[in-house]
Amino acid sequence: MRLAPWILRFLSTLGFKVQHAQSDLLDSSELARWYANLAPDERAAVSRELAPRVRALPALRAARDPSTLPAVATGRLVFELDGPQGPIPLHHLKVELWDRDPGAPDDYLGEGLTDDDGYFTIRYDPADAGIGDLPDLELRFFEPQHTFRKDGRVVETWRRIGAERGPDDHGGLHYDFGTIRQPYWEYDPSTPLARLLVTEQGTPPTDYAPGRALAMLKAVAPIEVIKRRHLLQIRLGMAPSVEQIQADYPEPMTVRREREAPGSTRSDAFFGERLLNGMFATVLDRDPEVSGDPHAFRLYFPWNAYEQDGVHCLPEVDVRLRLEEGHVLPTRIILGLREPGATAPGSPLTRRTFTPEDGAGWESAKRIARVSATLDTELGNHLGQCHFNIEQYAIAANRNLRRNPVRWLLMPHLREVVLINHSANGFLVGPTGYITRASALTQQGVETRLLHLMGSYDWKGFTPAVPVCEGHRYAHAGQLFWRVLGEHIDSFFAEHGGEVEAQWREVRRFSDDLVAHSAPAFVCRYLRARVPGKDAPWFERSERMDLDEKTHAPPPRAVSAVTHTDVPQPGELEALKQLCRYVLFFATFRHAWANNLQWEDAGEVLYACLGLRWGKDGFLAAEEDPSVAPPPEQATEMLWISWMLSKTNYGFILANEEDDVHPRLVELLRARTAEFQALGMDIRTISSRINI
């Protein structure tokens, strides 16, 4: 192989004696040894110099008529795990063919795309491997990535996801790689939820953005020292009190308000306000016992349906509220109490009712209700409805959306969620997870609750919560954000709708994966008996799935299908727009509301935690009773987690750090900054995806 003059000049700059090389020939083995003997920095310099020329070769070769190239490589790419009908094709991935030269720069031979069934054909010229060199074949697989320019134009790139070695010194003109199984966004077969399969020593098929790690370090480093000191004191037998632990952490909102106005955060008005606008913000039903009264509401937590540890006290909680002069106030709290030590689901209950006239008993009942709301928020509004719910859309989208422009719309808001959820598998849930240790629910209880929750989430027919009063800021902000998303998605489909329809087969497969792997629809016995097919004006249908549809037999899946065909039918394009709007809403606004307020509403151990113990004098003990409150280890963990979740932020919509969010959405939200601010929401704090 004769070295080109530019290579000679470059090697001369590295100190090689090449003055006679122009008249000498180096065969491939000599060149390989030469390259292999370079120091790492020298090898990197050669690679930087060669890379533009190597990458320019495909453009030069593209000018050739592919049908004239003498050799061909074929094969089929499928997922590692089969589906019910056998191998599942990996469609529309880029496949590159290379001559693999160990110890020397590789030679690019050609490329192609897998078709709908995962098959590929790559024509190439074996002479491109170099004079006297028979190609050592290797396939490399790539998935599409994108960024947006400021004007909204898409810039596509390819990210390598795998490779397959072929034969060495292949002298033939045809080689069939056969069926290649590629581990790629596989579903975990060990769980009834749509979760990503990550093997014990494996890693997820995606990465955090680089800036996210720095954001985590900046947020957590100061409080990590505090938590470690507390844990060391506990191990040394010098456990600090809950009050001491609280004082060591930054001051949360409830502690500050108590310092400024003692008793304010334990008032009935504050209790109702946080149910409307705090991290607990949830749907309130009308009180079914007060027919036709638009001012009477109910909030119910059915904890007796789940296995408990017998150590913590977690009664069923039935809160009745009333709207008075613009404020939602609790009027009655009914607790369904198990006997201490009872663990089985459906254990016998004793019901006790508390009202404001009960003094200390009323204050204790409100505390129990706050703890119930905190646990329900962590498992429902936060972990279930946002994290695990969005993970199922992320897996299905990454498995199926590549040519369809819907990928540009969804992917910025689906990235990283599987990473943070993978961390939650042992950190929050599981046998040693914090929720399992700190709440009354056992591991089985947590898993059953999550299965029921996931069985109640569906994109179809979803609308944000309807405000119950002027001061219902969460609902007003949710409605505003929903409208912005509608504008954004309508504009996107107006621009790309034709190509969305042209690539509808990807939508079909996306929809099929979603439905097949979603949890079974779950409707509890109480609702099943009182809502489907009946007049139930007390039941709030916003933010709820269609119970009439989900109670059919046989039990359907929780997630509804967008389509059942490879060509869109009437109404299905609108259904896809609704699904996209739903995904963006939960990956951005809804997660931000539940997550970012955790330090405000769960930053004081005695105000709200995940679980209260029975205690020496029973569950109605005063806040100061340490036998009821979380023990020191769980107290410091709770504050560390609340701070970490609320304060670790990276990937904001408005900042658009990775340039992957469509500029139109950024501008639509920025234009409404003042409207969101009036509702108490800083739009700059909303992330574009779930990564914490």
Side-chain angles (χ1 to χ4, degrees):
M1 176 182 294
R2 186 180 299 278
L3 297 180
W6 68 268
I7 296 181
L8 295 172
R9 290 194 299 273
F10 179 68
L11 292 176
S12 295
T13 66
L14 298 179
F16 290 100
K17 296 179 181 180
V18 295
Q19 60 268 31
H20 302 298
Q22 298 226 43
S23 61
D24 297 332
L25 291 176
L26 296 178
D27 63 28
S28 59
S29 62
E30 290 174 315
L31 184 60
R33 288 194 298 273
W34 195 359
Y35 182 79
N37 288 331
L38 294 177
D41 58 335
E42 294 170 337
R43 203 180 287 183
V46 172
S47 296
R48 284 195 298 273
E49 185 68 26
L50 291 177
R53 293 165 173 80
V54 173
R55 281 297 178 185
L57 290 176
L60 297 175
R61 292 167 184 162
R64 300 180 294 191
D65 181 356
S67 64
T68 66
L69 300 180
V72 62
T74 60
R76 188 189 190 202
L77 207 56
V78 300
F79 284 93
E80 177 71 27
L81 301 183
D82 289 345
Q85 281 76 48
I88 305 171
L90 263 167
H91 59 268
H92 304 164
L93 287 177
K94 186 169 81 162
V95 183
E96 292 185 351
L97 183 65
W98 286 75
D99 167 33
R100 180 186 66 256
D101 289 319
D106 297 334
D107 293 307
Y108 169 89
L109 299 177
E111 66 183 55
L113 289 173
T114 59
D115 65 14
D116 288 339
D117 296 315
Y119 291 99
F120 62 87
T121 299
I122 303 174
R123 301 203 69 90
Y124 69 99
D125 186 350
D128 290 338
I131 298 174
D133 182 19
L134 293 176
D136 307 321
L137 298 182
E138 179 174 282
L139 292 174
R140 300 174 185 178
F141 316 127
F142 299 82
E143 65 179 3
Q145 308 277 285
H146 82 275
T147 56
F148 284 106
R149 298 186 188 276
K150 299 301 182 184
D151 60 3
R153 287 185 298 166
V154 177
V155 179
E156 289 273 26
T157 56
W158 293 93
R159 175 178 179 265
R160 181 171 168 176
I161 60 171
E164 178 77 8
R165 291 172 67 97
D168 292 340
D169 297 325
H170 179 65
L173 295 182
H174 178 266
Y175 183 76
D176 184 4
F177 280 85
T179 298
I180 303 168
R181 292 185 176 273
Q182 175 69 20
Y184 185 72
W185 290 93
E186 307 288 350
Y187 285 100
D188 186 346
S190 69
T191 171
L193 305 182
R195 302 295 312 280
L196 183 71
L197 174 63
V198 181
T199 58
E200 185 175 352
Q201 301 302 323
T203 56
T206 184
D207 301 299
Y208 286 117
R212 191 263 187 190
L214 296 177
M216 171 69 79
L217 181 63
K218 182 178 179 180
V220 173
I223 62 168
E224 179 71 17
V225 175
I226 297 172
K227 185 185 74 170
R228 291 188 182 188
R229 185 175 73 248
H230 290 159
L231 296 179
L232 178 60
Q233 289 175 299
I234 294 167
R235 284 195 292 270
L236 294 175
M238 300 181 293
S241 66
V242 170
E243 291 77 12
Q244 291 170 324
I245 290 171
Q246 188 74 60
D248 286 342
Y249 280 90
E251 187 178 62
M253 179 267 289
T254 54
V255 171
R256 174 180 54 79
R257 289 185 63 140
E258 279 299 299
R259 176 171 51 80
E260 296 171 351
S264 59
T265 65
R266 274 59 172 178
S267 68
D268 293 355
F270 191 77
F271 179 94
E273 202 279 332
R274 298 318 288 174
L275 287 181
L276 290 183
N277 299 313
M279 65 173 275
F280 317 119
T282 188
V283 174
L284 296 179
D285 289 312
R286 305 289 170 175
D287 189 338
E289 295 180 4
V290 188
S291 179
D293 187 344
H295 300 109
F297 298 93
R298 183 195 192 192
L299 186 60
Y300 184 68
F301 301 114
W303 298 120
N304 197 44
Y306 306 101
E307 183 179 82
Q308 299 185 18
D309 62 9
V311 176
H312 294 84
C313 175
L314 184 62
E316 288 201 340
V317 177
D318 187 349
V319 183
R320 306 303 170 96
L321 306 108
R322 186 164 188 82
L323 179 63
E324 296 181 0
E325 298 180 353
H327 299 285
V328 171
L329 302 174
T331 59
R332 186 164 40 121
I333 298 175
I334 305 142
L335 303 180
L337 293 157
R338 297 180 173 189
E339 290 297 316
T343 62
S347 293
L349 296 180
T350 300
R351 300 194 181 277
R352 292 187 58 180
T353 299
F354 298 86
T355 66
E357 288 70 37
D358 289 317
W362 175 246
E363 298 303 319
S364 294
K366 283 194 298 182
R367 184 191 188 191
I368 290 171
R370 287 198 301 270
V371 170
S372 272
T374 306
L375 180 59
D376 183 70
T377 296
E378 292 297 352
L379 286 175
N381 298 358
H382 188 207
L383 190 60
Q385 198 171 34
C386 294
H387 282 258
F388 290 170
N389 186 22
I390 294 303
E391 177 172 0
Q392 66 184 340
Y393 290 90
I395 298 173
N398 278 282
R399 286 171 63 91
N400 296 290
L401 299 179
R402 280 179 277 280
R403 281 183 177 172
N404 198 297
V406 171
R407 174 171 62 85
W408 303 332
L409 182 65
L410 290 181
M411 287 304 186
H413 309 287
L414 296 176
R415 63 181 299 183
E416 303 181 337
V417 65
V418 297
L419 296 170
I420 193 64
N421 289 0
H422 179 58
S423 299
N425 288 345
F427 175 60
L428 288 180
V429 296
T432 61
Y434 181 75
I435 295 176
T436 310
R437 291 183 289 111
S439 79
L441 297 181
T442 63
Q443 179 186 358
Q444 182 60 54
V446 170
E447 291 175 354
T448 304
R449 178 61 175 168
L450 285 172
L451 181 61
H452 288 171
L453 289 167
M454 292 295 289
S456 67
Y457 303 144
D458 189 18
W459 60 267
K460 188 176 181 180
F462 174 88
T463 56
V466 177
V468 302
C469 61
E470 188 63 30
H472 197 176
R473 294 181 289 104
Y474 160 72
H476 285 294
Q479 295 274 348
L480 176 58
F481 202 93
W482 187 253
R483 291 196 296 273
V484 171
L485 291 178
E487 292 180 45
H488 169 51
I489 291 168
D490 283 344
S491 297
F492 185 90
F493 274 76
E495 183 178 1
H496 300 289
E499 188 61 17
V500 170
E501 294 188 57
Q503 300 295 336
W504 194 256
R505 180 172 291 184
E506 289 194 347
V507 175
R508 161 79 181 274
R509 292 181 176 181
F510 169 64
S511 175
D512 287 349
D513 262 351
L514 273 173
V515 175
H517 294 91
S518 65
F522 175 75
V523 183
C524 71
R525 289 194 302 270
Y526 179 86
L527 293 180
R528 190 178 292 270
R530 289 166 174 78
V531 176
K534 300 177 176 64
D535 182 24
W538 58 270
F539 181 73
E540 178 54 56
R541 296 181 185 272
S542 65
E543 296 202 8
R544 294 310 194 1
M545 67 181 183
D546 185 344
L547 297 193
D548 291 322
E549 182 177 312
K550 296 303 181 182
T551 51
H552 289 169
R557 293 287 176 169
V559 177
S560 297
V562 172
T563 181
H564 295 288
T565 63
D566 290 340
V567 177
Q569 303 302 302
E572 290 184 344
L573 205 64
E574 288 302 313
L576 180 59
K577 290 166 66 175
Q578 165 73 8
L579 180 149
C580 293
R581 198 176 184 184
Y582 173 90
V583 169
L584 267 63
F585 183 83
F586 281 96
T588 58
F589 172 84
R590 191 65 182 95
H591 179 257
W593 199 281
N595 183 78
N596 296 359
L597 293 175
Q598 296 215 45
W599 186 244
E600 289 193 10
D601 287 303
E604 182 187 353
V605 177
L606 298 182
Y607 172 79
C609 58
L610 293 186
L612 298 173
R613 295 177 290 174
W614 281 100
K616 294 183 301 183
D617 300 318
F619 71 100
L620 291 176
E623 279 189 7
E624 296 75 19
D625 186 344
S627 69
V628 173
E633 180 177 353
Q634 291 175 8
T636 192
E637 283 185 274
M638 168 192 158
L639 297 180
W640 184 92
I641 292 170
S642 294
W643 177 272
M644 180 267 294
L645 293 176
S646 292
K647 304 301 180 181
T648 302
N649 298 116
Y650 181 81
F652 298 107
I653 296 180
L654 295 195
N656 198 7
E657 296 97 331
E658 309 302 317
D659 291 323
D660 56 350
V661 177
H662 199 296
R664 182 193 302 112
L665 178 58
V666 175
E667 293 309 315
L668 285 172
L669 288 172
R670 183 174 286 128
R672 290 164 172 80
T673 298
E675 295 177 65
F676 282 107
Q677 194 67 46
L679 296 169
M681 168 167 270
D682 184 350
I683 200 67
R684 296 171 300 176
T685 65
I686 297 184
S687 296
S688 63
R689 69 268 197 177
I690 299 171
N691 60 9
I692 190 62

